[in-house]
């Protein structure tokens, strides 16, 4: 983009912000006139007597409303929230003093906490847009609305510390290497304990624990001799697996995310605001806030073997990066290879750990290539009903007709969790995806070997998917079909129970 274009975009944004500010002031004046009137009633519930758009000028009133309330029954709007509705804030506004945050700093204290809370003692100090909890923040709001959770509830983080140590790693201190998770998200309760006890609402965005896994396929692998019981990783004849786990919620550093996708930060902010129905106006009005907690699904990490080996380049590492597929992963749908490949990845991770290395499964909540399950099922219907049936040559066409794009997983941010783990090389990558491979290698992590799913694990009805993907660029150790050959690869009809 040219400097002239940049100036034009900036001028337009400033004009839009000023228009929004004036509109809010006019609305505020109109609402203030209602504050002296008798509030209308619906049944026995009073509405808030004063609803205003003006923000953060009366400390005492806001603080009084922060007193914990009982969570036994729904309250009125006025009993749960300050009387003034704060739609947005602005840089330099009276009372607004965000906590210092330096993305990529050498330690958590220097970097500063990520504060997204709207609690009374935190709202003026917020340095992040959005809400804690990822996609589950909506359920928290619902719990508050129905009276199950006090609006100002603060968790007790005693005894929640990680069960094993991750980092710090040099990649944590590079503001461009990790831009979609908070590398210090798991230590926030301990590092910022004093701030939390003083009233600042700092929440962890990563949790680390240990567990056992029980899967029917692992029990079968033990019975057939494919996996050996060692008492440490495969712990018994039932095939139970000892695993170390981590859960990560998304925390986006907006300048870094924009750079990763090769777009301007202003455009990223505008799209995130406009194309989510106007969610989070501070994306537009607070250009000084560089961190955003998007309401999207998070990441799960499963480590087989010693977690310390994950960042040790002298140990062999097997990795599968898997994107969520509820139909296959959970319910066993055979129209795709997702569950078979995931199970195969787990088996190979376990074997790598038993051989003195370590295995890692990274699971992203990106259902249906991040298009969603409704879109995915619509595509299934169109594939099965199209002229000529469900064929590999039209596999991506049906998706593009419905969604407008064949894939929205956009793997550019995916390697961040690998850098959070401190991974320096991948000996065996259990994936055929060219997008995942290119994103990982492009981020500076070499991949020694790529391992495709064995043919015997591919369900018959999923040949359409896998052959189409191989033809589009997925890795294979075999041949790539021609367009004519793809047209002859056909999935079964709904009524075909023997295919």
């Amino acid at each position: 983009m040219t400097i002239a274009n940049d100036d034009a975009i900036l001028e337009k944004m400033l004009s839009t912000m000023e228009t929004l500010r004036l509109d809010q002031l006019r609305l505020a004046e109109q609402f203030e006139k209602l504050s002296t009137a008798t509030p209308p009633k619906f049944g026995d519930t009073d509405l808030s007597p004063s609803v205003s758009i003006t923000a953060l000028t009366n400390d005492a009133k806001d603080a009084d409303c922060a007193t914990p309330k009982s969570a036994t029954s729904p309250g009125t709007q006025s009993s749960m929230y300050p009387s003034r509705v704060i739609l947005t804030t602005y840089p330099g506004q009276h009372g607004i003093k965000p906590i210092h945050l330096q993305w990529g700093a050498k330690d958590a204290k220097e970097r500063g906490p990520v504060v997204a809370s709207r609690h009374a003692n935190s709202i003026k100090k917020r340095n992040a847009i959005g809400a804690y909890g990822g996609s589950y923040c909506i359920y928290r709001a619902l719990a508050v609305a129905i009276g199950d959770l006090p609006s100002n509830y603060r968790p007790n983080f005693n005894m929640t510390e990680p069960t094993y140590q991750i980092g710090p790693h040099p990649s944590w201190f590079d503001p461009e290497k990790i831009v979609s998770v908070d590398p210090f998200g798991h230590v926030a309760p301990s590092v910022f304990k004093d701030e939390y006890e003083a009233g600042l609402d700092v929440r962890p965005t990563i949790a680390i624990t240990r567990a056992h896994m029980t899967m029917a396929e692992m029990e079968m692998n033990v019975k057939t001799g494919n996996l050996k019981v060692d008492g440490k990783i495969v712990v018994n004849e039932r095939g139970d697996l000892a695993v170390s786990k981590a859960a990560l919620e998304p925390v986006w550093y907006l300048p870094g995310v924009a750079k990763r996708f090769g777009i301007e930060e202003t455009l990223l902010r505008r799209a995130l605001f406009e194309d989510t129905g106007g969610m989070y106006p501070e994306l537009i009005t607070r250009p000084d806030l560089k961190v955003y907690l998007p309401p999207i699904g998070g990441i799960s990490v499963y480590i087989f073997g010693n977690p310390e080996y994950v960042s040790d380049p002298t140990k062999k590492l097997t990795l599968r990066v898997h994107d969520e597929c509820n139909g296959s992963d959970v319910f066993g749908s055979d129209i795709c290879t997702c569950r078979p490949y995931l199970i195969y990845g787990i088996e190979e991770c376990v074997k790598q750990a038993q051989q003195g290395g370590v295995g890692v499964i990274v699971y992203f909540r990106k259902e249906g290539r991040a298009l969603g399950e409704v879109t995915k099922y619509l595509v299934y219907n169109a594939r099965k009903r199209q002229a000529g049936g469900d064929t590999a040559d039209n596999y991506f066409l049906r998706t593009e007709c419905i969604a407008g794009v064949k894939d929205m997983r956009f793997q550019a941010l995916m390697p961040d969790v690998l850098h959070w783990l401190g991974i320096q090389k991948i000996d065996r990558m259990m994936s055929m995806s060219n997008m995942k491979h290119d994103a990982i290698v492009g981020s500076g992590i070499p991949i020694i070997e790529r391992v495709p799913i064995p043919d015997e694990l591919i369900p018959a009805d999923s040949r359409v998917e896998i052959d189409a993907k191989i033809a589009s660029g997925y890795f294979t150790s075999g041949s790539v079909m021609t367009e004519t050959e793809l047209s002859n690869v056909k999935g079964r009809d709904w009524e075909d129970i023997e295919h």
Side-chain angles (χ1 to χ4, degrees):
M1 297 180 66
T2 65
I3 295 177
N5 286 340
D6 288 345
D7 290 343
I9 292 174
L10 180 59
E11 183 177 348
K12 187 175 181 179
M13 287 189 65
L14 291 173
S15 176
T16 301
M17 290 171 60
E18 178 62 17
T19 300
L20 180 61
R21 187 184 69 84
L22 294 174
D23 287 344
Q24 290 178 339
L25 289 175
R26 283 193 291 270
L27 285 171
E29 292 175 357
Q30 295 176 25
F31 277 117
E32 287 296 333
K33 293 178 181 178
L34 300 176
S35 62
T36 57
T38 302
K41 293 187 177 182
F42 293 87
D44 296 328
T45 303
D46 291 343
L47 294 179
S48 174
S50 176
V51 181
S52 173
I53 308 299
T54 55
L56 301 170
T57 56
N58 191 328
D59 292 0
K61 181 181 291 186
D62 289 346
D64 289 343
C65 293
T67 305
K69 304 294 192 299
S70 170
T72 56
S73 62
T76 63
Q77 185 182 159
S78 60
S79 69
M80 296 169 62
Y81 299 106
S83 60
R84 297 175 182 269
V85 178
I86 304 166
L87 289 186
T88 193
T89 57
Y90 300 90
Q93 184 177 350
H94 176 71
I96 297 295
K97 296 180 180 179
I99 296 289
H100 172 75
L101 194 152
Q102 180 185 343
W103 199 266
K106 295 297 183 182
D107 62 68
K109 279 288 190 180
E110 181 184 349
R111 201 285 306 274
V114 173
V115 182
S117 174
R118 288 171 62 94
H119 284 190
N121 291 330
S122 300
I123 189 168
K124 302 177 184 181
K125 302 175 182 179
R126 291 166 68 245
N127 55 19
I129 304 165
Y132 296 114
S135 59
Y136 297 99
C137 65
I138 303 300
Y139 291 102
R140 183 191 180 280
L142 180 60
V144 171
I146 67 177
D148 279 3
L149 181 70
S151 61
N152 58 352
Y153 179 77
R154 285 162 54 83
N156 181 343
F157 294 117
N158 290 338
M159 301 180 291
T160 65
E161 60 272 7
T163 56
Y164 57 93
Q165 183 173 344
I166 295 288
H169 300 296
S171 53
W172 294 16
F173 316 135
D174 185 338
E176 296 184 2
K177 189 69 73 175
I178 299 178
V179 300
S180 61
V181 297
D182 176 7
F184 300 106
H186 56 304
V187 297
S190 58
V191 172
F192 302 110
K193 183 178 181 180
D194 291 343
E195 289 86 345
Y196 187 79
E197 292 179 349
L200 190 65
D201 193 29
V202 183
R203 305 286 179 99
T205 56
I206 299 175
I208 297 174
T209 189
R210 297 182 188 271
H212 278 189
M213 292 172 54
T214 300
M215 303 180 72
E217 290 91 343
M218 299 304 119
E219 182 177 9
M220 184 62 67
N221 273 309
V222 169
K223 289 181 178 179
T224 61
N226 188 38
L227 289 181
K228 305 295 183 182
V229 176
D230 58 29
K232 293 183 178 180
I233 299 167
V234 182
V235 299
N236 54 34
E237 296 294 332
R238 193 173 63 177
D240 290 352
L241 306 177
V243 64
S244 302
K245 306 196 298 183
L248 299 87
E249 293 173 356
V251 178
W252 287 8
Y253 177 58
L254 291 171
V257 171
K259 185 172 184 179
R260 192 76 63 86
F261 285 102
I263 61 176
E264 296 293 327
E265 182 187 344
T266 51
L267 175 58
L268 174 64
R269 287 173 174 267
R270 184 68 180 268
L272 291 172
F273 174 74
E274 296 282 1
D275 293 296
T276 59
M279 182 181 291
Y280 299 123
E282 285 173 323
L283 285 164
I284 302 299
T285 66
R286 294 296 303 275
D288 59 314
L289 300 185
K290 300 298 184 180
V291 174
Y292 171 51
L293 278 60
I296 60 175
I299 309 167
S300 297
V301 176
Y302 285 74
I303 300 173
F304 303 88
N306 190 336
E308 294 180 3
Y309 292 175
V310 173
S311 58
D312 185 346
T314 69
K315 305 295 184 181
K316 286 193 173 182
L317 183 145
T318 292
L319 170 74
R320 173 159 178 79
V321 175
H322 189 92
D323 294 321
E324 178 183 28
C325 177
N326 182 60
S328 179
D329 295 345
V330 178
F331 293 101
S333 172
D334 67 350
I335 199 171
C336 63
T337 60
C338 294
R339 181 178 177 88
Y341 215 163
L342 176 60
I343 296 300
Y344 179 53
I346 293 173
E347 293 171 7
E348 294 302 306
C349 283
V350 170
K351 291 176 181 178
Q352 188 74 83
Q354 289 183 322
Q355 294 166 7
V358 64
V360 179
I361 300 290
V362 179
Y363 193 96
F364 282 84
R365 298 320 190 278
K366 296 179 180 178
E367 175 64 55
R369 299 193 213 122
L371 302 171
E373 201 164 27
V374 169
T375 295
K376 181 164 73 171
Y377 287 8
L378 294 174
V379 171
Y380 287 169
N381 288 348
R383 281 172 53 187
K384 297 296 184 181
R385 287 172 173 151
Q386 66 187 337
D390 183 14
T391 56
D393 60 328
N394 286 325
Y395 174 77
F396 290 111
L397 177 62
R398 297 276 67 84
T399 302
E400 291 174 322
C401 286
I402 294 168
V405 61
K406 66 182 180 182
D407 197 326
M408 289 200 304
R409 287 174 291 182
F410 305 132
Q411 303 294 349
L413 301 178
M414 175 269 293
D416 289 16
V417 63
L418 308 183
H419 290 291
W420 175 71
L421 290 166
I423 292 176
Q424 299 184 49
K425 69 171 176 57
I426 299 165
D427 294 275
R428 303 184 75 226
M429 178 72 177
M430 313 300 295
S431 172
M432 300 165 68
S433 169
N434 53 327
M435 293 183 291
K436 292 176 182 176
H437 171 273
D438 294 349
I440 292 171
V441 173
S443 76
I445 301 175
I447 295 174
I448 310 304
E449 179 187 4
R450 301 170 74 180
V451 184
I453 184 172
D455 278 352
E456 63 268 21
L457 298 181
I458 300 174
D461 199 39
S462 67
R463 289 268 23 148
V464 172
E465 173 217 32
I466 200 67
D467 289 337
K469 287 182 175 179
I470 290 172
S472 73
Y474 269 44
F475 170 76
T476 179
S477 55
S479 60
V480 178
M481 289 186 174
T482 65
E483 192 73 15
T484 300
E485 290 172 327
L486 287 173
S487 67
N488 293 324
V489 178
K490 185 176 180 180
R492 67 166 174 267
D493 296 328
W494 282 311
E495 294 79 15
D496 182 1
I497 61 174
E498 295 183 0
H499 179 69

